[in-house]
């Protein structure tokens, strides 16, 4: 029953692209379809097939749904790199969004939302408006998600067009899947907005809880996750909510179960009745245990979450420690997490069993796991005073096996036990001393020396033992040295031999003794180590990455709620062109600026990766104005977490790209550690406006008349606004657009201005606008009218 | 945020991209390079399924010879993401007819792209039921109930099915013979200490169902579990019938089961999907009937010889029998020569897994079998670290036996047309991780 698509991958001939082009334009449907499949196959393996854009888009108008979907997939991938051509697809999209077939309507809206090109987005609004009110629930549920997509591209547009209200209405839709997707979209929008958009009232809460019963499994996750933010008014309401959520614990989908657990834990905070709480704890245990029979990756997520849950509510799994015993074939990451939880659940009641398990693990093959098991025994000893003796005897048994790393790890934890319970277990020192020769790790050696030093007066041959360490002194790492010196101050017999180290520490042995022996931090049980407010935050993020990393979301999500709230200096923030998610941690923001009559490329490098980045180089592709770097890029080596701001002088007319003028500036940046990063910037014409662009009135009139009327172009700039004539003149003058004359016509102000563009091209400008009303009409007369579109772009930016 | 993915990649073991789909704009198209460089080509592979590199997090799973990698840059729902991958793979398998591997992906890449577009939107999982998706995503070679019609024409009410309240069953099904097959499949997990005491023991069971039923039937399933029976007798106000009852520790249900009703009335009622599906899973830890007892003795005689003695007793009913019994007894790596004596079956030494493998095809109930083996080791000069003695592992299947004691009491089918149904029930118990330390 299997397909045979693999044949589409096997075209590696030289003339592939022209050949595909021909096939795409074939009149035979099948050939066309096969060609599109080949294009998609080539795209998948990473070949650049963007040059076929027009040809592929031409295949879009088809009755064949499969072919249509493939073309759409192509568009999603390449529209961004061909924004000007993407407009070709708009018509078909708009037409498809009114197709009688709901699958096609939904497909059109879904795909348009994935294409982040302004021109497409502009045309998305009307179809989206229609689809949100479509008769077919399938179209509505797709449109609901599309609102979230649009919000991500252009939040203002969503708010202006009232999509948020329509979306909120969908919460009351009669179809559960529409409700679920609307909730997901609203929750996401709320997360990126600081304004209250999606507030859950007790009314919506109850409606959504009812919808829960009919939703698909994923819909249940969306709803539960959104509702977990709800704060119940009192204990009674909380109990009510919990009662309606508990049935979800029986769901086969682990995400539903974890989201239900999250919600129940949140509400439990408010519940005062101990009976109810105890009952809930009892109900939550079995589903949590069941998660451990899922795929190992899911087990891992569950275990990381259980780790948090038992810190908050130790009673939930207090009797279930056996289910955390490691299976021989568990993946190592599952074993490590199980071990952590076993330590947390260990109590006087079950410690014997737990110790038997740890002892078993200490004989396994994986060294890291074995070490962790040994350390676990020590941690139990520190946690449970009454069990400490048994722990020590297990450790001694392990030392007798004489496996090198087990012995060393055991000695390290025994030192901790000695520090926790001083003068209690020194009878075992003799046994420890027997394995002195096998120690070769600094931490183990340091621990042993500490023990000997601490109990020197009870060890007859302490000096001999220490002497054996002293022989290798010069090679010892700092940790051992320090501890040895501690010992010396305590042991007069060796004082003469250690005078060098005294000098290291202090000239006064008594002072050294005070200093060194005083610094003994209290060893305590570290198994419940998370701060309680952090723990609460993590618990409110159950099932998410935050609960797996045990870090609050801000610690690893770079795109925070208010990204602009970073006033590092008084300059306006530069637009981010390479986000750190794309640049493997390197973020680059940049913009062309004009300073003192020269064009600069202002760049901000941010290193959010874990490594040092250096050796930065920059290269610009051919562009309309032939912009290129005037010198090499000089960025200091960037430590992780640091930033650097650079002003790169630019020269023009170096490598001019032929063709109609456009604003595209393609930039490549490279460093020694990472691959080459490519990003696109937009050239704004106003950086070229020169300081000598001022024209006298007469000169202006003369030039105006000398140019033919065909050289005059005008355009409405809908986003531009003039708040006051004088302010506008001043503002534009700062950008080298100079005032010539003004007049009034009815309620409109007319401004005449001049500017001088690249290679001295003059621009004669007429602005028509009503004060403080958005929308400015801009007419320009120039010897180079082909630059007019770029000029309007620049004016719109200046007047925003 | 319940977003599960910003991008999803399917890679082969060399790291070549087989399929990629970007759902959101917050991760770059080249993130897969980071995955290759920082995970695939390092020792990190397999140490942790969730990793952060730069500003992005990666979740990955290996399924046969394919890595499925999900990339996100927000605080995504990891549980949702992994579950999505698991279900998506099940969906692909049901489309390809079984296998999911590199070849199957390459051969169906158009279909996979189409499905990926349908089952996730902007990183939010949508309907993943194969039953429903096959209504309108049809590819050559995929058998569809509508395949006789031209596939160009979509099923008229497909969209209503996708979003319907019964999103897993389509209307208007007709079968000549209405049949239901129930398979109760249990895996026993055991961890026994070398002294014969049970350290951990549980049964995870699932009820698999195959439905060939017309119309929109309502089904109700009755088991011999204690809580369900108590509730039933309470509702009907008559005393509980005597007989063996069992206590289920936990149950989880397919999304077709009405959970609210289960919670209040303790009855399992549902409108089933058509064809095969997993109705429920359960877990039991109390009162497990272990089908086999294993009594091993392994003696190390000096440094070059081992004496292995394993006795296996079957403790299920004398009329039943187990199939495919395999006992794997680990031996040290430096094993040179082995000799065996067995009372039934065959034993041999398998050097690639360092085990003595003893196979018995058919093992009747209430009997016992023994294997004794002598193992000679190559003597090594270096002071070796002592042998770690991994546990003995066992595989088996016992038909018509449930380790939990679970029984199906009834399965009622209501449909408005009032047809009769034939119900078939089978039981089988398999070894899960059945380990005996020695």
């Amino acid at each position: 029953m299997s397909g045979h698509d693999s044949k589409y991958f096997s075209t590696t001939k030289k003339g592939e692209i022209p050949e595909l082009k021909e096939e795409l334009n074939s009149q035979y449907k099948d050939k066309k379809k096969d060609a599109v499949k080949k294009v998609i196959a080539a795209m998948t393996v990473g070949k650049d097939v963007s040059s076929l854009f027009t040809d592929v888009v031409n295949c879009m108008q088809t009755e064949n749904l499969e072919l249509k979907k493939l073309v759409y997939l192509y568009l999603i991938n390449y529209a961004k790199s061909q924004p000007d051509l993407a407009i070709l697809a708009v018509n078909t999209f708009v037409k498809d969004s009114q197709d009688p077939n709901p699958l096609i309507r939904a497909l059109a809206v879904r795909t348009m939302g994935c294409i982040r090109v302004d021109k497409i987005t502009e045309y998305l609004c009307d179809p989206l408006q229609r689809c949100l009110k479509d008769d077919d629930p399938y179209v509505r549920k797709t449109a609901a998600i599309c609102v979230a997509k649009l919000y991500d591209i252009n939040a203002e547009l969503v708010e202006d067009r009232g999509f948020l209200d329509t979306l909120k209405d969908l919460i009351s839709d009669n179809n559960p899947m529409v409700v679920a997707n609307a909730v997901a979209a609203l929750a996401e929008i709320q997360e990126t907005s600081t304004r209250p958009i999606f507030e859950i009232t007790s009314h919506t809460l109850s409606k959504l809880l009812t919808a829960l019963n009919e939703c698909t499994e994923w819909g249940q996750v969306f709803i539960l996750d959104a509702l977990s933010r709800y704060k119940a008014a009192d204990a009674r309401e909380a109990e009510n909510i919990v009662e309606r959520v508990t049935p979800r614990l029986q769901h086969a989908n682990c995400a539903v179960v974890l989201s239900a657990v999250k919600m129940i834990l949140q509400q439990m905070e408010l519940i005062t009745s101990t009976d109810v709480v105890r009952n809930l704890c009892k109900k939550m245990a079995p589903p949590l245990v069941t998660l451990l029979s899922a795929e190992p990756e899911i087990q891992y997520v569950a275990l990381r979450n259980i780790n948090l849950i038992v810190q908050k509510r130790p009673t939930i799994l207090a009797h279930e420690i056996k289910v955390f015993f490691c299976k021989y074939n568990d993946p190592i990451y599952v074993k490590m997490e199980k071990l952590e939880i076993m330590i947390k659940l260990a109590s006087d009641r079950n410690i014997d069993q737990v110790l038997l398990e740890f002892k078993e693990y200490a004989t396994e093959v994986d060294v890291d796991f074995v070490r962790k098991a040994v350390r676990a025994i020590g941690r139990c000893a520190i946690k449970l005073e009454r069990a400490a003796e048994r722990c020590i005897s297990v450790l001694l048994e392990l030392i007798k096996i004489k496996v090198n790393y087990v012995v060393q790890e055991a000695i390290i934890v025994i030192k901790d036990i000695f520090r926790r319970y001083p003068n209690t277990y020194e009878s075992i020192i003799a046994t420890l001393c027997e394995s002195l020769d096998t120690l070769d790790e600094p931490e183990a050696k340091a621990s042993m020396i500490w023990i000997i030093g601490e109990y020197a007066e009870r060890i007859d041959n302490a000096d001999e033992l220490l002497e054996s360490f002293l022989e290798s002194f010069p090679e010892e790492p700092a940790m051992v040295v320090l501890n040895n010196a501690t010992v010396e101050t305590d042991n007069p017999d060796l004082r003469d031999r250690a005078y060098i180290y005294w000098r290291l520490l202090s000239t006064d042995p008594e002072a050294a003794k005070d200093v060194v022996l005083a610094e003994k931090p209290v060893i305590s049980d570290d198994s419940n180590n998370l701060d309680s407010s952090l723990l609460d935050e993590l618990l409110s993020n159950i099932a998410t990455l935050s609960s797996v990393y045990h870090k609050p979301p801000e610690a690893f999500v770079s795109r925070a709620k208010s990204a602009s709230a970073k006033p590092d200096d008084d300059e306006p923030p530069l637009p981010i062109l390479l986000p750190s998610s794309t640049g493997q941690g390197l973020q680059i923001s940049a913009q062309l600026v004009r300073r003192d009559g020269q064009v600069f490329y202002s760049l901000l490098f941010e290193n959010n990766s874990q490594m040092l980045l250096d050796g930065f180089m920059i290269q610009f592709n051919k562009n309309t104005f032939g912009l290129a770097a005037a010198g090499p890029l000089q960025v200091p080596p960037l430590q992780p977490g640091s930033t650097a701001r650079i002003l790169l002088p630019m020269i023009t007319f170096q490598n001019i790209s032929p063709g109609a003028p456009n604003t595209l500036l393609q930039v490549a940046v490279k460093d020694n550690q990472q691959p080459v990063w490519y990003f696109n910037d937009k050239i704004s014409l106003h950086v070229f406006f020169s300081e000598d662009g001022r024209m006298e009135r007469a000169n202006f009139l003369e030039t105006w008349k000398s140019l033919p009327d065909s050289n005059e172009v005008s355009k409405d700039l809908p986003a531009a606004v003039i708040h006051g004539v004088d302010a506008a003149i001043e503002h534009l003058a700062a950008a080298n657009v100079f005032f010539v004359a003004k007049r009034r016509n009815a309620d409109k102000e007319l401004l005449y201005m001049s500017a001088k563009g690249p290679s001295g091209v003059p621009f004669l400008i007429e602005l028509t606008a009503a004060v403080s009303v958005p929308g400015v009409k801009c007419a320009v007369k120039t010897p180079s009218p082909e630059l007019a579109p770029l000029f309007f772009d620049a004016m719109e930016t200046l007047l925003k | 945020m319940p977003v599960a993915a910003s991008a999803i990649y399917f890679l082969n073991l060399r790291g070549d991209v087989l399929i990629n789909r970007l759902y959101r704009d917050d991760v770059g198209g080249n993130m897969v390079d980071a995955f290759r460089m920082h995970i695939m080509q390092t020792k990190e592979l397999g140490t942790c399924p969730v990793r952060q590199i730069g500003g992005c997090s990666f979740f990955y799973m290996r399924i046969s010879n394919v890595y499925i990698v999900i990339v996100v840059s927000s605080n995504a729902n990891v549980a949702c993401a992994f579950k999505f991958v698991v279900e998506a793979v099940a969906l692909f398998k049901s489309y390809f007819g079984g296998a999911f591997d590199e070849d199957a992906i390459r051969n169906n890449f158009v279909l996979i792209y189409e499905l990926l577009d349908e089952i996730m939107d902007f990183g939010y999982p949508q309907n993943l039921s194969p039953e429903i998706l096959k209504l309108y995503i049809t590819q050559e070679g995929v058998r569809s109930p509508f395949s006789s019609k031209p596939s160009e024409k979509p099923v008229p009410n497909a969209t209503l099915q996708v979003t319907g309240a019964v999103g897993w069953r389509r209307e208007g099904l007709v079968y000549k013979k209405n049949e239901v097959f129930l398979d109760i499949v249990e895996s026993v997990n055991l961890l026994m200490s070398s002294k014969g005491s049970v350290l951990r023991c549980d049964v995870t069971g699932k009820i698999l169902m195959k439905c060939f039923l017309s119309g929109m039937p309502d089904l109700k399933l009755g088991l011999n579990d204690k809580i369900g029976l108590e509730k039933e007798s309470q509702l009907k106000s008559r005393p509980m019938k005597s007989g063996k009852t069992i206590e289920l520790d936990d149950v989880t249900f397919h999304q077709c089961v009405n959970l609210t009703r289960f919670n209040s009335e303790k009855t399992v009622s549902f409108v089933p999907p058509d064809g095969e599906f997993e109705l429920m899973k359960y877990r039991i830890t109390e009162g497990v009937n272990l089908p086999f007892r294993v009594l091993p003795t392994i003696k190390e005689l000096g440094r070059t010889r081992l004496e292995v003695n394993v006795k296996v007793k079957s403790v299920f009913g004398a009329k039943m029998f187990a199939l495919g019994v395999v006992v794997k007894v680990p031996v040290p790596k430096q094993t040179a020569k082995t000799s065996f004596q067995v009372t039934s079956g065959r034993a041999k030494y398998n050097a690639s897994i360092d085990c003595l493998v003893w196979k018995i095809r058919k093992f009747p109930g209430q009997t016992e079998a023994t294997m004794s083996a002598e193992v000679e080791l190559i003597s090594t000069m270096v002071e070796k670290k002592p042998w770690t003695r991994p546990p003995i592992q066992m595989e088996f299947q016992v038909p018509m036996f449930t380790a939990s004691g679970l029984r199906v009491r009834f399965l009622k089918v209501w449909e408005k047309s009032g047809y009769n149904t034939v119900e078939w029930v089978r039981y089988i118990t398999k070894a899960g991780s059945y380990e005996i330390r020695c």
Side-chain angles (χ1 to χ4, degrees), chain A residues 452-469:
Chain A
I452 300 172
E454 197 66 16
Y455 295 93
E457 64 274 25
R458 288 176 227 194
I459 309 171
D460 301 335
N461 57 348
D463 45 354
E464 283 169 39
L465 292 173
L466 287 170
E467 241 168 286
S468 64
F469 282 107

Side-chain angles (χ1 to χ4, degrees), chain A residues 5-6 44 69 101 116 136 138 149 181 188 213 250 286 290 325 329 333 363 543 545-546 549 581 677, chain B residues 18 24 26 30-31 57 75-76 78 107 113-114 118 121 124 126 154 159 200 250 252-253 260 283 388:
Chain A
D5 298 347
S6 56
T44 303
K69 283 183 181 171
N101 183 345
R116 302 170 70 93
D136 195 297
Y138 181 79
K149 293 181 189 170
N181 278 2
E188 178 173 335
N213 277 322
Q250 250 73 52
T290 298
F325 288 3
N329 290 329
Y333 53 85
T363 61
L545 262 180
S546 167
Y549 290 150
S581 50
W677 303 117
Chain B
L18 303 175
R24 299 174 74 95
D26 55 352
N30 49 7
M31 285 324 293
S57 294
N75 183 25
V78 195
N107 280 323
Y113 271 127
E114 200 175 343
E118 192 62 43
D121 193 6
Y124 293 98
Q126 304 291 307
T159 54
R200 190 191 60 219
D250 186 34
T252 58
F253 295 105
T260 313
R283 189 165 46 80
T388 58

Side-chain angles (χ1 to χ4, degrees), chain A residues 442-700:
Chain A
E443 196 183 353
K445 277 187 179 175
S447 302
M448 193 65 213
I449 294 168
W450 185 89
I451 293 170
I452 300 172
E454 197 66 16
Y455 295 93
E457 64 274 25
R458 288 176 227 194
I459 309 171
D460 301 335
N461 57 348
D463 45 354
E464 283 169 39
L465 292 173
L466 287 170
E467 241 168 286
S468 64
F469 282 107
L470 284 174
E471 279 155 23
S472 58
F473 229 48
E475 306 106 71
E476 294 295 356
M479 190 149 51
V480 184
V481 173
L482 187 70
N483 251 321
N484 236 335
T486 315
V487 170
E488 260 110 58
T489 56
D490 209 25
N491 201 318
D493 293 346
L494 293 168
R495 199 174 282 170
D496 50 350
R497 305 192 79 168
Y499 71 96
I500 308 162
Y501 306 102
W502 286 7
R503 222 184 310 167
L504 259 175
L505 263 175
S506 147
T507 44
D508 178 359
E510 286 307 310
K513 180 178 172 178
D514 285 350
V515 171
V516 179
L517 291 185
E519 63 179 83
K520 255 192 276 181
V522 181
I523 292 276
S524 62
D525 163 30
D526 57 350
S527 54
N528 285 343
N529 39 10
L530 287 174
D531 166 62
S532 76
S533 63
L534 176 62
L535 181 62
D536 284 340
E537 180 172 5
L538 295 180
L539 283 171
S540 70
N541 280 304
I542 281 182
T544 68
L545 262 180
S546 167
S547 70
V548 172
Y549 290 150
H550 291 186
K551 286 181 196 164
E554 314 79 87
F556 59 90
V557 176
S558 49
R559 192 185 50 162
K561 210 169 221 174
S562 47
S564 56
K566 207 171 51 177
D568 35 13
D569 48 9
D570 49 354
E571 283 179 46
L574 297 169
I576 297 170
L577 298 178
L578 180 77
S580 54
S581 50
T582 317
Q584 293 178 15
L586 173 69
Q587 177 170 302
I588 301 176
S589 325
Q591 197 169 30
L592 284 167
V593 294
R594 188 176 185 89
R595 295 272 163 81
D596 310 322
Q598 204 191 341
V599 181
F600 289 93
Y601 202 42
S602 173
L603 288 136
L604 178 69
F605 291 83
E606 274 185 71
N607 181 2
N608 298 325
S609 72
Q610 309 295 325
M611 54 190 177
L612 178 103
L613 300 174
D614 61 10
F616 283 93
M617 289 191 271
I618 194 162
Q619 186 84 49
F620 297 88
N621 200 355
K622 287 185 180 172
N623 53 73
T624 302
F625 301 102
L627 277 168
L633 180 69
Q634 285 171 337
V635 183
L638 277 184
Q639 297 291 343
S642 65
T643 62
R645 207 167 181 145
I646 314 292
L647 264 185
L648 178 69
M650 301 287 282
I651 43 172
T652 46
F653 304 110
Q654 271 298 305
N655 45 356
I656 300 171
S657 72
N662 64 57
T663 59
L664 187 65
L665 179 65
Q666 291 174 314
V667 190
V669 171
K670 178 184 179 312
D671 56 62
N672 285 343
Q673 287 73 22
Q674 296 177 316
V676 183
W677 303 117
Y678 299 96
F679 54 87
N680 291 342
D681 196 358
K682 210 176 140 187
I683 303 170
S684 190
L685 195 67
H686 68 263
V687 299
F688 297 106
F689 294 164
S690 54
E691 282 69 16
D692 58 349
R694 191 182 289 280
M695 267 188 198
E696 291 311 316
R697 239 178 136 134
N699 192 2
F700 183 89

Side-chain angles (χ1 to χ4, degrees), chain A residues 391-411:
Chain A
C391 294
I392 290 219
S393 68
V394 171
L395 287 171
L396 287 179
E397 281 175 56
L398 288 175
I399 288 176
K400 280 178 196 142
I401 306 176
K402 291 216 179 295
V403 176
N404 184 290
Y405 52 83
V406 174
V407 174
Q408 310 216 33
E409 201 68 36
I411 292 197

Side-chain angles (χ1 to χ4, degrees), chain B residues 80-264:
Chain B
C80 207
F82 278 128
K83 188 69 187 174
F84 172 78
V85 172
V86 170
E87 296 219 352
V89 170
L91 172 69
F92 296 151
K93 278 185 181 164
S94 110
Y95 262 95
F96 313 155
F100 178 85
D101 53 23
E102 189 180 343
D103 290 339
I105 292 176
R106 278 203 198 276
N107 280 323
N108 294 284
F109 82 98
V110 175
L111 170 68
I112 297 180
Y113 271 127
E114 200 175 343
L115 286 172
L116 284 177
D117 192 43
E118 192 62 43
I119 58 179
M120 183 172 264
D121 193 6
F122 204 41
Y124 293 98
Q126 304 291 307
N127 199 334
L128 267 84
S129 309
E131 171 75 0
I132 296 294
L133 288 169
K134 280 180 185 171
L135 284 179
Y136 63 101
I137 297 189
T138 49
Q139 289 275 317
E140 321 145 48
V142 176
R143 203 160 46 88
S144 136
F146 293 84
S147 56
S148 52
K149 296 178 191 173
S151 62
E152 303 288 305
K153 233 181 180 176
V155 187
N157 59 353
T159 54
L160 296 174
Q161 302 266 350
V162 185
T163 55
V166 186
W168 51 86
R169 188 181 179 88
R170 102 190 111 84
E171 281 171 44
L173 288 167
V174 182
Y175 286 99
K176 254 186 211 156
K177 197 172 170 191
N178 289 293
E179 284 180 300
V180 184
F181 297 86
L182 275 179
D183 272 312
I184 288 85
V185 182
E186 296 196 336
S187 332
V188 209
N189 299 306
L190 170 75
L191 182 61
M192 195 181 264
S193 75
S194 51
K195 297 185 181 72
S197 61
V198 176
L199 295 175
R200 190 191 60 219
C201 168
D202 62 76
V203 173
T204 53
K206 49 189 174 188
I207 301 188
L208 303 174
M209 204 163 192
K210 227 185 272 179
C211 279
F212 302 110
L213 296 170
S214 315
M216 274 287 176
D218 248 311
L219 272 66
K220 196 166 154 185
L221 176 72
L223 303 170
N224 61 336
D225 72 299
K226 204 170 157 194
I227 303 169
L229 283 168
E230 274 170 9
K231 196 83 185 181
E232 197 174 303
S233 59
Q234 218 178 70
L235 286 172
K236 294 183 180 162
S237 60
R238 68 171 183 224
M240 252 168 75
K241 280 182 218 144
S242 56
K244 192 177 182 284
T245 61
I246 58 159
E247 240 176 295
L248 298 173
D249 280 27
D250 186 34
V251 275
T252 58
F253 295 105
H254 184 269
Q255 55 168 329
C256 68
V257 176
N258 185 330
L259 292 180
T260 313
R261 192 144 159 213
F262 174 77
N263 221 39
S264 56

